[in-house]
Amino acid sequence: MSSDLLELTAAQAAGRIAAGELSAAALFAFYRERAAADRAGGEDGLNCFTWVAEGAAADAPAGSLGGVPLAVKDLFCTRGVPSQSGSRILEGYEPPYTATAVERLREAGAPLLAKTNQDEFAMGSSNENSAYGPVRNPWDRSRVPGGSSGGSAAAVAAGLAPWALGTDTGGSIRQPAALCGIVGLKPTYGSVSRYGMIAFASSLDQAGPLTRDVRDAALMLAQMVGQDSCDATSLQFPGEIGVPSAERLDGVRLGVPAELSGEGIEAGVKEAFDRSLEQAAALGAELLDVSLPHAPHALSAYYVLAPAECSSNLARFDGVRYGIRAEGAADLLDMYTRTRHDGFGPEVKRRIMLGTYALSSGYYDAYYGRAQRVRTKIAEDFAAAFEQVDFILTPTAPTVAFALGEKTGDPLAMYLNDYCTVPMSLAGIPAISIPCGLSGGLPVGLQLAGAAFSENKLLDAAHALERALAFDGSPAHV
Amino acid sequence: MSEQGGELEAVIGLEIHIQLATATKMFCSCALSFGDPPNTHTCPVCLGLPGSLPVANARAVHFGLMIGLALGSELAPRSIFHRKNYFYPDLPKGYQISQYDEPLCRGGHLGEVRIHRVHLEEDAAKLTHLGASGRIHGSDASIVDFNRGGTPLAEIVTEPDLRSAEQAGEWLKLLRTTMRRLGVSDVNMEEGSLRCDANISLRAAGSEQLGVKTELKNMNSFRFIERGIRAEIARQQKLIAGGGTVTQETLHFDPASGAITSLRSKEEAHD
Ligand SMILES: [Zn+2]
């Protein structure tokens, strides 16, 4: 029975539960046991989780998600359950409320299975910045799963959770999805409430699904979107998210930007990407060259804007009200300094310092103001491209999963992981990563990006490509 | 610059904070209160809990616009909230949500005093320092009551059009009456729903140039405001007469002793 359950996508499992062929409780118990074993496994496990439910699911209302359990990135606030955002400064912190996205999924029938490991405050591309230890990639345990939603991606890839919730600021859903051989979707900024997501960079953070296939991503997204009176930047999604069913791409115009698909892309990744383009053409798509002239500056702008926002967002972690407070401080300033010194990891400190500098008086316009203007240019580039094409295709990440420790000493090399994903984040547009092949036995991700609120069409196109590419995403089942 | 011989005149501008009489706080749905048990009107938003987000109170914006209309201000077609970042235990998010370059209202006047701007912001929580000093330095412990935190404030800033302590006091009474008539605030100084800071400088009478100003903080009654301003004018006059110069600083007036002391210390620097 167990291997049988592992084969099911979330949609298939929900279907069986609805048909009375499978009990939601049995499915929950099955995954709970797998997740708990990983958590108990120490060095032998993947270290995907920071918390796993004990016993049966807390009340799971029957909904369209049919009782399929959900793994949730640590940074989503979950009432009475540790929500630490991968940071020591929030060690043991249990919020008194639950994030809107998690609450909506629970109401739709997806009970909380586990909280997943992540880079501290979502700052990282390898999950090595977690205060709770790195996550291992199920395709090769000596390699990283990507980040910052590394625990969510690895858990889904390894069959430790049917599906997972993540967040994406500059690629934090798409890049780990690519490195772990699963599907990851960053929705249009504002389509999913950010209420209850422990903030990294508020103008970029967006929740989204990490799933085994495109259909599961659509199923989860359909229950997440919608305006929330607690998030003033949330919008009513126009229409509903449907079930993707397209099998062909006839008449679909796909743009390939030279700026994001040539230089800096590893050979094996480029080969898999080129094969995907051939598949797309075989499905009837028209392939066109498009230009995103400002995209090469996206990473520079991002590493001004995101740290600037984080330096302000993380000011609240001062030891006064929650989380850890350093002992033995001489006075108030000493308490602040020691608490933040002990509580934050090196990458978080680096970004707070970068951001504080970029916002400091006299430098504000030269850094923050200028980065904002680059951001506008990038959004204009996409708008112009979408006059010509329906979607833009790029590799999701320039490389496959790299070795643990390989890039920890070189922040700039680490930042390059997000080279292809950051432009879409700055433009606020939806983008999905689907697995498109292997390079050296490791998964390669294909990124499709569309105009704001084009999720339905985007999921349809991804669905057609996914069928044609026929990726076998089952490392852990082996 | 020798001003010893000439006549000096005082130049005074006021910054007034008015707690708005809305039902709920500026960015959450907690009720406004005064005198209730501590920390009974709080939620994830006004406690600055991780993941919480502010949603602006429409009624507070409406009140802000009413103030602008009453003062003949220009109402902004587009107005932006900004974060004013600094660390202090009465500020749960590490920043105060305020307005910077696009305030709700600009310009206007009340009587012959011109208004510079009116903007909206959120109030800080209430800190009590335990121990003999009553200040954070040297206190045994400090406790925070977040009931007040997040209360909507309108900040009204005048141009430096006032010339004496008496005139400032009279004008402030006119403003209080105006706000009371509008029904936007209780404007009660004892309860803190009306607070006033004064910027004070001296210059040669008839000169157009402004002297170096000091900021006299948080005077909590009409009597203290007049006495405080008078004391500060006297202090500056004496300083200049003795050949000294005024340095820009934030000051505190102690009504019991009549003394003026410097308030600004590192932890209160808001830059
Ligand atoms: Zn509140």
Side-chain angles (χ1 to χ4, degrees):
Chain A
M1 176 185 170
S2 58
S3 66
D4 182 39
L5 286 185
L6 262 190
E7 295 302 317
L8 300 177
T9 66
Q12 287 165 344
R16 288 222 192 158
I17 292 169
E21 296 161 14
L22 173 65
S23 88
L27 186 70
F28 190 90
F30 171 75
Y31 275 109
R32 200 207 70 77
E33 208 167 292
R34 288 182 64 81
D38 183 70
R39 182 150 166 72
E43 283 295 295
D44 297 328
L46 298 173
N47 196 26
C48 287
F49 304 106
T50 51
W51 176 88
V52 175
E54 287 176 26
D59 64 321
S64 57
L65 302 185
V68 181
L70 179 72
V72 171
K73 191 176 183 178
D74 192 23
L75 63 69
F76 286 90
C77 287
T78 43
R79 187 188 172 114
V81 167
S83 305
Q84 307 159 129
S85 204
S87 182
R88 184 166 135 56
I89 210 160
L90 280 175
E91 194 168 355
Y93 173 66
E94 296 182 359
Y97 75 109
T98 296
T100 302
V102 178
E103 187 55 27
R104 285 189 176 170
L105 288 167
R106 192 193 67 83
E107 281 169 8
L112 180 63
L113 170 71
K115 298 295 288 286
T116 61
N117 202 343
Q118 60 167 88
D119 282 300
E120 183 177 6
F121 288 106
M123 297 176 200
S125 306
S126 69
N127 218 113
E128 291 166 294
N129 296 337
S130 170
Y132 304 96
V135 176
R136 295 168 182 276
N137 190 316
W139 290 82
D140 177 345
R141 295 172 38 82
S142 71
R143 291 174 189 266
V144 304
S148 66
S149 309
S152 287
V156 173
L160 304 178
W163 52 5
L165 190 56
T167 63
D168 192 311
T169 305
S172 278
I173 287 175
R174 292 162 285 162
Q175 184 258 10
L179 269 47
C180 289
I182 62 164
V183 171
L185 170 68
K186 182 199 88 73
T188 304
Y189 183 81
S191 59
V192 178
S193 169
R194 288 183 295 111
Y195 190 70
M197 272 165 53
I198 300 175
F200 162 20
S202 310
S203 77
L204 297 156
D205 296 343
Q206 192 57 199
L210 292 112
T211 56
R212 290 206 197 161
D213 68 7
V214 172
R215 225 177 141 93
D216 279 1
L219 189 64
M220 192 193 295
L221 182 66
Q223 302 302 325
M224 293 165 64
V225 296
Q227 195 160 26
D228 176 12
S229 60
C230 292
D231 176 1
T233 64
S234 69
L235 295 152
Q236 194 54 47
F237 195 87
E240 292 197 345
I241 301 291
V243 179
S245 58
E247 296 179 7
R248 299 275 309 165
L249 293 173
D250 298 303
V252 175
R253 295 162 306 165
L254 301 177
V256 180
E259 295 87 351
L260 301 180
S261 58
E263 209 179 322
I265 309 293
E266 196 174 81
V269 171
K270 183 84 173 93
E271 282 164 30
F273 178 67
D274 288 341
R275 283 197 302 276
S276 307
L277 297 181
E278 287 165 25
Q279 284 284 1
L283 292 175
E286 186 185 350
L287 295 176
L288 297 160
D289 290 330
V290 292
S291 180
L292 300 171
H294 298 90
H297 303 297
L299 214 52
S300 310
Y302 176 85
Y303 276 100
V304 172
L305 297 173
E309 293 186 26
C310 101
S311 72
S312 174
N313 282 334
L314 270 54
R316 68 186 59 195
F317 302 103
D318 58 5
V320 173
R321 285 142 299 131
Y322 42 74
I324 63 162
R325 178 191 292 179
E327 298 292 327
D331 57 22
L332 180 66
L333 183 63
D334 194 34
M335 181 187 93
Y336 286 153
T337 313
R338 288 209 214 180
T339 298
R340 292 166 69 82
H341 173 273
D342 296 350
F344 291 139
E347 182 61 27
V348 171
K349 285 177 186 156
R350 175 172 16 246
R351 296 201 197 182
I352 290 174
M353 285 189 278
L354 278 173
T356 305
Y357 183 79
L359 289 178
S360 58
S361 90
Y363 296 96
Y364 182 90
D365 192 62
Y367 291 101
Y368 191 79
R370 190 167 191 161
Q372 285 288 33
R373 290 192 286 279
V374 172
R375 184 176 188 172
T376 303
K377 291 282 177 204
I378 287 165
E380 288 168 1
D381 283 357
F382 277 109
F386 290 130
E387 299 274 313
Q388 296 170 259
V389 297
D390 299 298
F391 305 109
I392 283 166
L393 261 59
T394 76
T396 307
T399 70
V400 293
F402 46 94
L404 284 157
E406 188 181 326
K407 298 181 181 178
T408 43
D410 186 352
L412 292 181
M414 189 70 89
Y415 295 171
L416 281 172
N417 271 287
D418 297 331
Y419 185 74
C420 299
T421 48
V422 155
M424 295 73 181
S425 298
L426 291 174
I429 59 175
I432 189 169
S433 178
I434 63 170
C436 68
L438 295 175
S439 166
L442 295 166
V444 176
L446 169 70
Q447 178 177 231
L448 288 85
F453 300 111
S454 69
E455 273 83 343
N456 276 314
K457 288 194 297 177
L458 185 68
L459 286 159
D460 251 340
H463 180 262
L465 271 168
E466 175 184 59
R467 266 179 60 94
L469 291 164
F471 179 80
D472 176 19
S474 50
H477 310 181
V478 184
Chain B
M1 252 209 274
S2 171
E3 283 150 337
Q4 276 100 323
E7 189 89 0
L8 294 175
E9 72 171 359
V11 177
I12 304 159
L14 300 180
E15 286 178 23
I16 303 104
H17 286 91
I18 290 173
Q19 283 185 344
L20 299 177
T22 50
T24 56
K25 293 186 181 180
M26 186 67 226
F27 295 106
C28 66
S29 52
C30 290
L32 299 194
S33 61
F34 182 79
D36 282 359
N39 296 310
T40 50
H41 299 282
T42 63
C43 73
V45 176
C46 59
L47 287 176
L49 295 192
S52 64
L53 296 169
V55 176
N57 182 336
R59 187 116 182 106
V61 175
H62 193 101
F63 281 176
L65 293 170
M66 284 168 66
I67 293 171
L69 284 172
L71 300 177
S73 308
E74 188 188 323
L75 307 185
R78 171 190 132 108
S79 187
I80 302 277
F81 284 106
H82 271 85
R83 295 176 178 183
K84 186 171 170 182
N85 293 278
Y86 62 97
F87 287 95
Y88 214 61
D90 61 4
L91 196 67
K93 299 186 292 296
Y95 54 84
Q96 178 197 32
I97 304 181
S98 181
Q99 299 199 276
Y100 179 56
D101 54 357
E102 297 192 49
L104 198 59
C105 316
R106 279 180 203 274
H109 64 93
L110 180 66
E112 64 256 38
V113 175
R114 292 168 300 152
I115 302 297
H116 178 61
R117 61 186 271 166
V118 180
H119 73 246
L120 298 180
E121 59 188 32
E122 56 180 345
D123 207 349
K126 196 174 153 208
L127 271 176
T128 307
H129 305 299
L130 310 178
S133 74
R135 307 267 287 267
I136 196 157
H137 283 297
S139 66
D140 301 325
S142 301
I143 50 176
V144 199
D145 175 9
F146 288 97
N147 282 356
R148 192 183 73 182
T151 297
L153 295 178
E155 180 175 329
I156 301 169
V157 183
T158 76
E159 297 291 354
D161 289 351
L162 296 155
R163 293 291 172 268
S164 71
E166 297 70 25
Q167 196 194 1
E170 283 308 310
W171 185 84
L172 196 60
K173 282 174 191 151
L174 174 63
L175 182 75
R176 180 180 62 173
T177 307
T178 309
M179 295 301 122
R180 194 167 278 159
R181 288 274 171 85
L182 278 176
V184 296
S185 172
D186 298 338
V187 278
N188 183 327
M189 284 200 105
E190 281 66 40
E191 290 184 4
S193 56
L194 172 64
R195 285 172 247 157
C196 184
D197 305 335
N199 289 308
I200 302 159
S201 63
L202 297 183
R203 67 180 174 196
S207 164
E208 287 298 305
Q209 202 154 358
L210 291 169
V212 175
K213 68 179 177 187
T214 56
E215 188 180 14
L216 201 52
K217 277 281 192 197
N218 262 331
M219 294 163 287
N220 56 6
S221 86
F222 278 87
R223 214 154 51 87
F224 296 162
I225 283 172
E226 289 193 35
R227 278 178 53 200
I229 293 174
R230 210 173 292 128
E232 173 55 12
I233 291 172
R235 188 189 71 88
Q236 290 190 16
Q237 275 170 338
K238 201 173 155 197
L239 202 62
I240 292 167
T245 51
V246 176
T247 45
Q248 188 165 346
E249 60 185 331
T250 303
L251 303 169
H252 174 256
F253 173 64
D254 179 4
S257 66
I260 283 177
T261 51
S262 183
L263 193 70
R264 176 140 295 194
S265 58
K266 243 188 224 161
E267 68 206 21
E268 283 155 318
H270 296 179
D271 309 302

